[in-house]
Amino acid sequence: MRILIVASGNKGALAPFIVEQAEALKALGVEVGFYGLRGRGVRGYLGNLSGLRRKIKDFRPDVVHAHYGLSGLLACLQRRVPVVVTYHGSDINDPQVFRYSQKAVRLSAWNVFVSRKTLERACPKKKYSLLPCGIDLTEQQLTERGEARRTMGWSGDQRYILFAGAFDNEVKNAPLAQEAVALLGDGVELLELKGYTRDEVTSLMCAADVLLMTSFTEGSPQVVKEAMACGCPIVSVDVGDVKERTEGVAGCFVAETREPEALAGLLQAAFAFEGKTKGREKLVADGLDNRVVAQRLMEIYETVCRK
């Protein structure tokens, strides 16, 4: 089977979690091609249509798998090859983008939603699956906190909170995180998750006391699943599918309110948690190892091809 992955290439490469999903498909014997879209907004994406058609003609895929609604709508403008679209959250939660995602839902051969909330908002009538993106489970994620801290050169007396994104990303709501951390006093540092390689992110998650998420909106945030794979405690507002993902995992806390005091109290509870969480085991139980997700995608591709 030949699958063409279509997604934004504005940052010079496709998002790492998309590439990792593609690698898991390759391990199943799938031949995978990539087409990175350049440009912003609907007009910018439309400028890729002729190039995408040429890529499809040359690569001859059985299925085009587009990530995010705008990519999906563009892919659906060609009618030669069936299109599967994965919606990751921002394409459903942003009202301006959502109207284009709705068109993609109607035109595509199959739709994949990464969280129940995005599925319920999109409200497709048929041809859809609920399937969060998976995670690669690696040996590096098993590194103990003390060893990771020594590697990072971190102080043993300091508390380190890893913020779930970049401070300048407005959707991530850094001011709320900063207010909550300020209530904890001295000896606590909030670290911005920006500009690191995948291996460096894993090291940070193994070394940190807790991951903190305060986003206004999310789909099925990969950063939470990555922290779970590393056994890093988590404190989060109730956003996306975080509550479902972390349910029953000691050391992971979801705040009932978006008050800084509530988050500060949960951060203290996370500090008191000893060792790694059982987040990794929960991911496996939920079928979110990338190898399992790839098998489920194969079933979707085969369904689409039969139709």
Side-chain angles (χ1 to χ4, degrees):
M1 183 172 289
R2 300 160 71 91
I3 304 298
L4 179 63
I5 307 294
V6 177
S8 172
N10 281 324
K11 294 184 178 179
L14 273 61
F17 66 89
I18 294 175
V19 175
E20 289 168 2
Q21 187 176 94
E23 291 299 318
L25 288 167
K26 288 180 183 179
L28 295 178
V30 178
E31 187 173 348
V32 178
F34 298 95
Y35 190 82
L37 304 174
R38 298 299 180 95
R40 305 286 180 182
V42 176
R43 288 190 178 183
Y45 270 44
L46 282 174
N48 294 271
L49 184 56
S50 60
L52 176 59
R53 282 175 170 157
R54 285 194 299 271
K55 179 69 175 182
I56 289 172
K57 183 179 179 181
D58 293 341
F59 185 65
R60 293 178 291 111
D62 297 292
V63 176
V64 172
H65 186 168
H67 288 266
Y68 292 93
L70 278 180
S71 300
L73 180 57
L74 176 75
C76 287
L77 294 180
Q78 63 77 36
R79 307 307 290 169
R80 173 180 283 186
V81 180
V83 178
V84 172
V85 185
T86 295
Y87 305 87
H88 291 277
S90 58
D91 43 11
I92 302 296
N93 296 323
D94 184 326
Q96 305 228 349
V97 180
F98 181 42
R99 55 184 178 145
Y100 297 108
S101 295
Q102 287 177 305
K103 298 181 190 302
V105 169
R106 290 195 295 271
L107 292 172
S108 61
W110 203 268
N111 300 285
V112 178
F113 298 90
V114 298
S115 72
R116 192 167 302 280
K117 288 180 181 178
T118 55
L119 171 61
E120 290 173 351
R121 180 157 190 222
C123 198
K125 303 301 182 186
K126 56 183 179 179
K127 58 182 185 180
Y128 67 87
S129 298
L130 172 61
L131 180 60
C133 288
I135 291 291
D136 283 349
L137 299 178
T138 68
E139 290 295 318
Q140 185 190 359
Q141 294 160 348
L142 301 175
T143 305
E144 293 299 328
R145 185 181 297 173
E147 180 183 345
R149 286 188 176 226
R150 287 190 292 273
T151 300
M152 302 290 295
W154 285 4
S155 166
D157 299 327
Q158 186 88 349
R159 294 291 192 180
Y160 295 94
I161 300 171
L162 188 59
F163 181 62
F167 290 156
D168 60 2
N169 186 338
E170 293 184 4
V171 173
K172 302 300 182 182
N173 194 12
L176 175 56
Q178 290 160 343
E179 287 181 57
V181 172
L183 295 174
L184 300 175
D186 297 333
V188 179
E189 185 174 354
L190 181 65
L191 302 172
E192 180 181 23
L193 190 57
K194 180 179 180 180
Y196 295 102
T197 66
R198 298 294 275 171
D199 285 347
E200 288 169 341
V201 169
T202 297
S203 295
L204 285 166
M205 289 179 170
C206 289
D209 290 281
V210 58
L211 175 83
L212 175 59
M213 170 165 279
T214 53
S215 303
F216 290 114
T217 63
E218 290 284 350
S220 177
Q222 288 298 103
V223 67
V224 166
K225 286 175 274 189
E226 289 164 5
M228 292 174 69
C230 295
C232 180
I234 295 166
V235 170
S236 177
V237 295
D238 186 3
V239 66
D241 68 348
V242 177
K243 181 177 282 188
E244 180 182 356
R245 295 279 72 81
T246 61
E247 185 178 9
V249 180
C252 295
F253 307 90
V254 177
E256 296 298 324
T257 71
R258 288 176 171 264
E259 297 299 323
E261 294 79 7
L263 290 169
L266 294 180
L267 288 169
Q268 292 282 23
F271 290 161
F273 184 82
E274 297 291 336
K276 287 181 174 285
T277 73
K278 297 293 185 181
R280 187 183 188 90
E281 290 82 350
K282 177 67 159 45
L283 291 174
V284 172
D286 287 348
L288 294 180
D289 182 326
N290 256 333
R291 295 171 296 183
V292 177
V293 172
Q295 290 169 348
R296 292 188 61 189
L297 284 173
M298 281 292 294
E299 293 170 4
I300 291 170
Y301 299 152
E302 289 165 356
T303 297
V304 167
C305 288
R306 283 197 299 271
K307 290 185 177 181

